Each structure stands twice: as structure tokens, then as C-alpha cells.
Amino acid sequence: MSTNCRNENSDNSIIILDFGSQYSMLIARRIREARVYCEILPYHTSAAEIASRKSRGVIISGGPGSVYEEGAPLCDPKIFTLGVPVLGICYGMQLMAFFLRGQVNKGHKSELGKAEVHIIQEDPLIAGVSPSEENIFHAWMSHRDQVLSPPLGFQVTARTSNGIIAAMGSPGEKIYGLQFHPEVVHTTAGTTIINNFLFNICGCSPGWTPGNFIEKTIPEIQAEIGNKERVLCALSGGVDSSVVAFLLDKALKERVVCIFVDHGLIREHEAREINNTFSQMLKGDFIFIDARERFLKKLTGITDPEEKRRIIGREFIEVFKDAALSLKGVNYLAQGTIYSDVIESGSLPSAETIKSHHNVGGLPAELGFKLIEPLKELFKDEVRQVGRQLGIPASIIDRQPFPGPGLAVRIVGEVTAEKLDLLKKADYILQQEASRCPSFTGQAWQYFAVLTGIQSVGVREGKRTYGPALAIRAVSSEDGMTAEWILPPVELLQRFTCRVYQEIPEITRVLLDTTSKPPGTIEWE
Ligand code: XMP
């Protein structure tokens, strides 16, 4: 949709040209944290396109390329003559030197990790980075090639203790380069450097706030939809689609129809909570579809994880399609796509399919809906901030991420009504007990129970038992792409195990999953 605030924000925004660095997204995050709007664009975006966006500055990201390699990704060199401030980071600085006739040396060994950087002379970019008189700070390096001599008119402002050029700049032209990564936390002065670029060099102001986003987006939604049309909002009960529903509710009131498909693979009491929250808090219609039997039937006899995911995704589309087609006068479908989804499916090369993620993507084309995605410029934590500002209850906003195929990917082997019942009970006990340990829940990205598919022997009241083994999994993560396993407090483990033993006698054993991602994924299937 056109709830794209590019034009409204562009006179106070930054463009990041993405050369494939693992840190491009992190640059965007740091800039947004400084309350400045930014967009990541593909590296080959033309200077004319960049000029048309009237942004205040351009950052050229790092990347795995080498300027001397055949087919190396290059930016449009006219970017350096636009008169807009430019900051090249790592490969971005090498490109700058390459185009502006400095000298880049092809390195044979990469330098990775923390380096000591010595300031030679301050310029507006590195002003105030070293409070000590020694003029030293630590920076994160990840490069092979290096700039041997800067372009004409550039000053070398800092070098590493190995003598490598760490920073250079031409303040007159407002063009700067950094060999290290200011966006990485290990660069001690990273925030100062980024703020220097944003506020002192580009002249941005910190106006990107959740409140401003809501104020700006509501009239955009109203303009897009007009004053007659209705919008269908696909609700999953998760944070993103909930925020979309509340935003639409504010903009369009009773012209929003929310639809929730209960596939039976959700957590204990979740269907009731979603029903209560959304049917009471929103002004438009709320359609609740009980499709539990339909899904369970389709999953009978299926044990392959990918096959399960495919079946659930397909069936979801079928149920949704049936419901949507019966609605009259609804031409738009709203989805909770967020910025990381856009980036992952857009400018980065498509990664190997580890798991087929389930969402409603692909529906609009089939159903003839026009798509609106009002959150597609926001990161997850920004979505949460907007949600809080909209008055959405904390029970929704602070929800853990939950996979589309739900508990089916936490039951190894065939999904049956009995296994679902056991897992829902165990998960509910875990959520209850965990809520008594806020320091743990605050630290965890997700914590949940898994039916491992292992049967084991137990003993109960002097008699042999044989039943399923349950695992607890708790991880911390920034974005779900990588994760570290975390240890729940021992009292929590003790209380959980004790309650499982008392309340779910079928379970013979409780295990703790100590696998990070990689090598494990967060969900078991
Ligand atoms: P994995 O298991 O791939 O999960 O390490 C990473 C994050 O994504 C969630 N997840 C999903 N989310 N649809 C979703 O919307 C899915 O099909 C899906 N599968 C996994 C998972 O809970 C974790 O937060």
C-alpha cells in the first residue's frame, strides 16, 4: 500500500545503500534509535533516484565484495557529486576511495575483531569520540581490503595501531569513510559517530517517534481507503497483526473486519482471550472461525515437519479464502508485514529454505484484494512502541513470538488431539510459573514446552509407566535469526516439573534443551 512515509519523511531521512553486509540492518536500527527515519535500498539505486528522495544523507554499507573483483557490486559514482553528505562504512569506504581516485589495497588476510584506533586529528565525524587525552577508542573491524591512500582533498583522521586507515573525511564536501563498523556495540564511540553524522553533518532532527508515526499513518490509511471501502484484517493474535488492527480501527472505525482462524494449534485459553480482546475493543466486525477439526483431520498420520507446515499453510489459505469470499464490499486486505520481512524478502539474496514459514502472503493476488501493510517500515520493537501508544493491552504487546503452524511444530511426530491437550496443559503451567520470574521473562525471547516424540519409562506409585518426555526450551535473541539458550531459574524448573508430575500424569520425564541457534533452530520442527 502507499502507507509509505517515504515522501513525508524524506526531508529528514537517511538512505542506506545495502552492499550485503550482515550489519546493514543494524545500521538502520542505530539510526532509528536516534529517532531519525531511514530506509535500506539496494546498492545499485541510481543517484537520480536518491536525489529524488531528498534525503539528508547517504550511508554506503559494508559488504563481502572487493572493489577489484570482477563483477564487484558498485554504487552509482554520481552519488558523490549530489552535494548530499555520504558516509562509507568498510566496503563503502573502499568504494569511495576507488571512485574518488584514492588507492585500495587488496588484502590477503582478513582482520576481524576489536582494534585500537588512534585519532590523528578530529573532524566533525569523529568529534568527541575519545574523552581521554590519549585519543584512543576501540572499534570493530571486519575487512580484508584496505584504503592505502585517501582520495585527493581527504584527511586521514584515525589509524589502527597496525597503521591501517581507520577514518578519513573531506569535511568541505561532507564525504567521510570509516574502515570499522560504528553500528556494532563493540565500537565504543559508535553512537557518538553515528549521531555526529546524523545531526552535525546531515542536519537531521530526532523526530521519528511512535506518536508521530501514528499521527502520520492514520490520515494516510484514510486517504488510501477512501470513505466507503472496507478492509479485511487477518489477525493472528500476535503483536504485528494486532497493532495493524488497532491502527485500522483508529483510522476507519467500523469499516474494519477482523478475521481470526482458530486452527486448534494455539495455546490454552488463547482463542478465548483473542475473541474477548478484539470483539470488545474494536469497533468493526470480528469474525472468529473455529477450524480445529478441519486442521486436525488434515494432519492425521503426518510426521514429516515440512509436510506438516505445508498442510497447515495450505489449509489456512483455504479457510481464509472461504470466509473472505463471503464478505461483500471488502476490497482491501491488511497484513502485519514489518520491516525485517520486507528486507529479508527483498534486497538480500534469498537464503536456503530452512523451514517454510507460514503466513498469509500470496493471498491477495489469489483473492483479488489490494494489500495494505502499514507497519512495513517498522522494526519489531518500534511496532511494540506504536502498540503501547495505541493503548493495546500489555498482554498482547509483550507476547512472545509464536509460529504460524503453532504447537504442531512443538509436537515431534504426528499431531493428535491427545498430544495437543498434553502440550497445551504443560505450556500453560510453564507460562504461569514463568510469570512469577520477571527477570527471566524479561531476558527471554521465547520459552516454551515441546513434546519430544521420545517415550520413556517412569515409575508412579510403585508401578511402571511408559509415556512421553517433555522438553523446556528458553532462548534469548535479538531477532530470531540467531539465539542463545538460557537457563530458567532453578526454582522455576523445580515448580514446573513438580506441577507437571502432579497435573499431567501421562508425562514421564522433563528435559532441558540446551541448544543455541545455530546449530538448532528455535522451534523443534
Ligand atoms: P526458527 O524455528 O526458524 O524460528 O529458528 C525463528 C523464529 O520464528 C518463529 N517461527 C515462525 N513464525 N511463522 C511465523 O510467523 C512460522 O512458520 C514460524 N516458524 C518459526 C519462531 O517461533 C521463532 O521466534
Side-chain angles (χ1 to χ4, degrees):
M1 121 170 211
S2 58
T3 33
N4 185 338
C5 47
R6 189 175 91 200
N7 297 331
E8 289 75 3
N9 281 299
S10 54
D11 56 358
N12 195 30
S13 75
I14 296 291
I15 286 174
I16 300 161
L17 291 181
D18 179 21
F19 280 81
S21 161
Q22 54 179 321
Y23 299 131
S24 297
M25 187 92 113
L26 203 51
I27 301 172
R29 293 218 31 77
R30 297 287 173 255
I31 296 175
R32 297 278 188 96
E33 276 164 16
R35 307 212 144 172
V36 172
Y37 180 70
C38 63
E39 283 181 280
I40 301 179
L41 297 180
Y43 68 85
H44 48 74
T45 307
S46 70
E49 167 71 22
I50 290 173
S52 76
R53 292 180 181 243
K54 298 197 174 66
S55 289
R56 288 202 176 244
V58 176
I59 294 183
I60 306 176
S61 88
S66 167
V67 290
Y68 290 118
E69 262 165 24
E70 204 176 317
L74 302 176
C75 59
D76 180 345
K78 293 200 194 85
I79 288 167
F80 300 110
T81 57
L82 287 176
V84 175
V86 180
L87 171 63
I89 296 177
C90 196
Y91 180 70
M93 165 158 124
Q94 293 154 19
L95 264 182
M96 187 176 276
F98 175 75
F99 279 124
L100 301 178
R101 297 176 202 275
Q103 200 188 344
V104 182
N105 198 15
K106 191 161 177 47
H108 297 288
K109 229 174 96 201
S110 46
E111 185 186 18
L112 181 68
K114 249 185 183 180
E116 202 173 70
V117 177
H118 298 256
I119 298 168
I120 300 166
Q121 71 177 102
E122 265 197 5
D123 70 358
L125 185 67
I126 57 169
V129 293
S130 173
S132 75
E133 284 188 0
E134 289 156 13
N135 278 334
I136 289 173
F137 62 97
H138 289 96
W140 188 256
M141 292 281 186
S142 171
H143 69 111
R144 206 176 36 184
D145 294 357
Q146 52 177 278
V147 174
L148 213 58
S149 51
L152 202 65
F154 276 62
Q155 309 272 0
V156 172
T157 53
R159 288 185 185 266
T160 65
S161 26
N162 299 335
I164 291 170
I165 298 178
M168 63 179 199
S170 168
E173 295 169 286
K174 298 192 175 178
I175 301 181
Y176 297 87
L178 296 172
Q179 184 56 69
F180 57 88
H181 290 271
E183 68 278 18
V184 171
V185 284
H186 305 291
T187 298
T188 45
T191 308
T192 308
I193 294 173
I194 289 174
N195 288 352
N196 281 344
F197 183 68
L198 298 178
F199 302 120
N200 302 342
I201 297 170
C202 298
C204 294
S205 52
W208 174 253
T209 64
N212 291 352
F213 172 82
I214 297 168
E215 256 173 51
K216 168 190 74 63
T217 306
I218 285 176
E220 282 176 0
I221 294 175
Q222 290 165 335
E224 167 96 11
I225 308 296
N227 48 19
K228 284 199 194 75
E229 301 266 14
R230 296 167 80 205
V231 178
L232 183 61
C233 179
L235 261 186
S236 70
V239 181
D240 306 336
S241 62
S242 303
V243 172
V244 171
F246 277 78
L247 204 54
L248 290 174
D249 178 75
K250 240 185 160 39
L252 305 170
K253 308 210 162 45
E254 44 289 309
R255 287 189 290 134
V256 186
V257 183
C258 286
I259 188 166
F260 177 79
V261 176
D262 177 7
H263 52 26
L265 308 167
I266 53 180
R267 284 164 288 193
E268 189 91 319
H269 307 309
E270 199 168 9
R272 196 181 61 211
E273 278 168 22
I274 288 171
N275 204 349
N276 288 347
T277 309
F278 290 94
S279 56
Q280 283 167 19
M281 292 190 74
L282 302 180
K283 298 174 198 75
D285 291 337
F286 177 75
I287 302 174
F288 184 93
I289 298 178
D290 182 353
R292 287 177 296 175
E293 262 185 45
R294 200 168 153 169
F295 277 86
L296 210 51
K297 226 186 214 160
K298 288 272 168 165
L299 289 170
T300 305
I302 308 296
T303 54
D304 177 67
E306 275 298 283
E307 186 59 13
K308 275 190 203 172
R309 281 178 170 268
R310 272 194 296 273
I311 288 174
I312 296 167
R314 248 191 339 247
E315 197 56 17
F316 186 89
I317 290 177
E318 288 309 312
V319 175
F320 194 88
K321 222 154 85 173
D322 291 349
L325 290 176
S326 67
L327 290 170
K328 297 275 175 288
V330 180
N331 294 323
Y332 287 87
L333 176 72
Q335 281 189 181
T337 314
I338 66 170
Y339 201 49
S340 42
D341 305 331
V342 175
I343 298 297
E344 272 160 29
S345 57
S347 58
L348 302 181
S350 63
E352 163 118 349
T353 303
I354 310 284
K355 293 174 186 179
S356 332
H357 273 222
H358 155 114
N359 55 38
V360 288
L363 270 175
E366 255 185 88
L367 295 176
F369 282 119
K370 289 181 237 168
L371 188 61
I372 57 170
E373 296 169 306
L375 306 182
K376 72 172 183 217
E377 299 158 344
L378 302 190
F379 287 107
K380 191 84 175 181
D381 59 328
E382 292 173 324
V383 173
R384 289 203 161 103
Q385 287 172 35
V386 167
R388 284 190 197 103
Q389 188 94 15
L390 285 166
I392 305 179
S395 57
I396 295 180
I397 294 302
D398 298 330
R399 265 211 170 128
Q400 300 176 49
F402 189 67
L407 299 179
V409 294
R410 296 178 183 170
I411 295 176
V412 176
E414 186 187 7
V415 178
T416 63
E418 294 71 34
K419 287 186 200 167
L420 263 174
D421 185 50
L422 291 186
L423 185 56
K424 279 185 185 180
K425 280 187 191 149
D427 184 71
Y428 188 62
I429 297 174
L430 182 62
Q431 304 305 324
Q432 273 191 325
E433 292 303 331
S435 67
R436 297 167 65 178
C437 307
S439 62
F440 164 67
T441 54
Q443 174 202 8
W445 164 266
Q446 271 170 304
Y447 47 93
F448 53 85
V450 177
L451 266 185
T452 61
I454 301 167
Q455 295 285 111
S456 89
V457 174
V459 58
R460 197 174 264 273
E461 291 158 13
K463 289 203 182 104
R464 180 188 191 271
T465 56
Y466 188 60
L470 186 85
I472 296 184
R473 178 139 179 74
V475 294
S476 66
S477 175
E478 281 272 317
D479 50 16
M481 307 292 282
T482 58
E484 299 287 330
W485 73 274
I486 51 174
L487 183 64
V490 173
E491 319 80 76
L492 165 59
L493 292 174
Q494 283 167 336
R495 281 200 303 265
F496 173 74
T497 310
C498 187
R499 278 189 64 187
V500 166
Y501 179 66
Q502 286 164 359
E503 297 171 37
I504 323 177
E506 295 88 337
I507 304 238
T508 52
R509 216 162 278 267
V510 175
L511 314 170
L512 181 65
D513 181 351
T514 59
T515 319
S516 292
K517 174 183 179 176
T521 53
I522 295 178
E523 303 293 344
W524 270 45
E525 289 196 335

